[in-house]
């Protein structure tokens, strides 16, 4: 599959993921708890959103306190997550705006309900001594993305298009972490288009990177990673959506001062990600970076989860201008900030309560 190929998700992959979610169950959990299924926008767990929005609040007992049962499921990418939500196998999905807005343009009944990362967190990563200084230097190069169903691929293609090089850049799947680092260091690819936390992980693993920002106009105004809900979930599980968002916000504030314990909660939930020694130190650094990156303070975001509509409109216009959307729909049609007040309710008091109970 080359740079000019359309990004599609095979039916087999989608159905495999659907069956996996079905096996976990989408109905209510035991007792009176409301069940929520979240389809992640990637496959391999790392100390990112699955830590701060799932593992840590679960480890703190917040889901139980708030009366919700949460099932977080990895997927092969944002496109698969959207298909699962569309099929009713998940209530919420996570992904980059390009895939989410493309689905909305196709009348998929989803609405953005939580802006996870306040600032756009990507760029073109190259080795420090690379001759590539800007997207204008990409003619004849190969750029690695996490997967060919990753929403970063359309953004990387837009970067090449902005430089007038759509036909001159090849994109290949290289994964993340050590696999992506090896692809870059060995010369298999000339650069990477992943996301900031993935770059942090690669550098902590010993591979130095030079990340080129401003790879297209208004890059600093784009949305980066969002959570969206099905129309059915908004209509029938609005209270649970509020509680889920609040639990994540509380957990993020608590975790800033409790990094070691927070990382252990992530490992408890995702034991295959557990690491000791240098690996643990790397994961602590990634978790610390994630908490800083997700913090809305000082950004255009008014509290956890808020999706600024001006940035949404800029993002939609950018995607439409680069033929990644048929048209730029107004943010009012698919952004719902009505949950934001509940997400941010009495966070400091909740953190204090948790801290007292753990003494």
């Amino acid at each position: 599959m080359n740079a000019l190929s359309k990004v599609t998700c095979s039916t087999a992959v989608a159905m495999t993921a659907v069956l996996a979610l079905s096996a976990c169950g989408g109905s209510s959990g035991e007792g009176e708890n409301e069940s929520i299924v979240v389809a992640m926008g990637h496959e391999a767990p790392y100390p990112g959103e699955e830590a701060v929005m799932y593992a840590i609040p679960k480890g703190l007992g917040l889901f139980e306190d708030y009366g919700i049962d949460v099932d977080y499921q990895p997927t092969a990418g944002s496109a698969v997550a959207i298909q699962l939500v569309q099929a009713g196998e998940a209530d919420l999905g996570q992904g980059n705006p390009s895939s989410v807005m493309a689905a909305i343009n196709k009348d998929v009944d989803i609405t953005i309900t939580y802006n996870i990362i306040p600032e756009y967190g990507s760029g073109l990563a190259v080795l420090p001594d690379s001759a590539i200084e800007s997207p204008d230097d990409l003619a004849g190069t190969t750029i690695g993305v996490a997967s060919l169903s990753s929403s970063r691929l359309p953004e990387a293609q837009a970067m090449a298009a902005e430089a007038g090089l759509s036909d001159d850049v090849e994109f290949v799947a290289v994964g993340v972490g050590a696999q992506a680092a090896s692809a870059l260091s060995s010369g298999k690819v000339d650069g990477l288009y992943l996301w900031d936390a993935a770059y942090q992980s690669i550098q902590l693993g010993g591979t130095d990177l030079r990340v080129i920002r401003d790879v297209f106009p208004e890059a600093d105004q784009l949305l980066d990673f969002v959570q969206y809900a099905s129309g059915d979930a908004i209509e029938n599980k609005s209270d649970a959506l509020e509680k889920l968002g609040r639990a994540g916000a509380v957990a993020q504030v608590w975790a800033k001062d409790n990094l070691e314990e927070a990382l252990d909660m992530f490992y408890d939930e995702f034991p295959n990600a557990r690491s000791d020694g240098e690996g643990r130190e790397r994961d602590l650094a990634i978790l610390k970076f994630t908490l800083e990156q997700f913090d809305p303070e000082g950004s255009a975001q008014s509290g956890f989860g808020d999706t600024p509509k001006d940035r949404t409109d800029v993002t939609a216009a950018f995607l439409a201008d680069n033929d990644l959307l048929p048209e730029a729909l107004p943010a009012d049609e698919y952004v719902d900030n009505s949950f934001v007040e509940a997400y941010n309710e009495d966070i400091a008091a909740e953190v204090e309560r948790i801290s007292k109970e753990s003494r």
Side-chain angles (χ1 to χ4, degrees), residues 250-287:
V250 170
Q252 289 177 64
V253 174
W254 174 87
K256 289 180 183 179
D257 295 322
N258 299 275
L259 278 177
E260 295 274 1
E261 190 176 353
L263 183 62
D264 286 335
M265 292 176 182
F266 168 71
Y267 286 156
D268 288 344
E269 195 59 37
F270 298 101
N272 290 337
R274 186 179 296 276
S275 187
D276 296 319
E278 290 183 6
R280 181 181 177 86
E281 290 304 311
R282 181 188 65 243
D283 287 346
L284 279 170
I286 294 172
L287 179 57

Side-chain angles (χ1 to χ4, degrees), residues 120-144:
Y120 184 70
S122 190
L124 174 65
V126 297
L127 295 174
D129 60 354
S130 171
I132 298 171
E133 297 291 339
S134 78
D136 294 335
D137 301 322
L138 291 178
T141 62
T142 301
I143 302 301

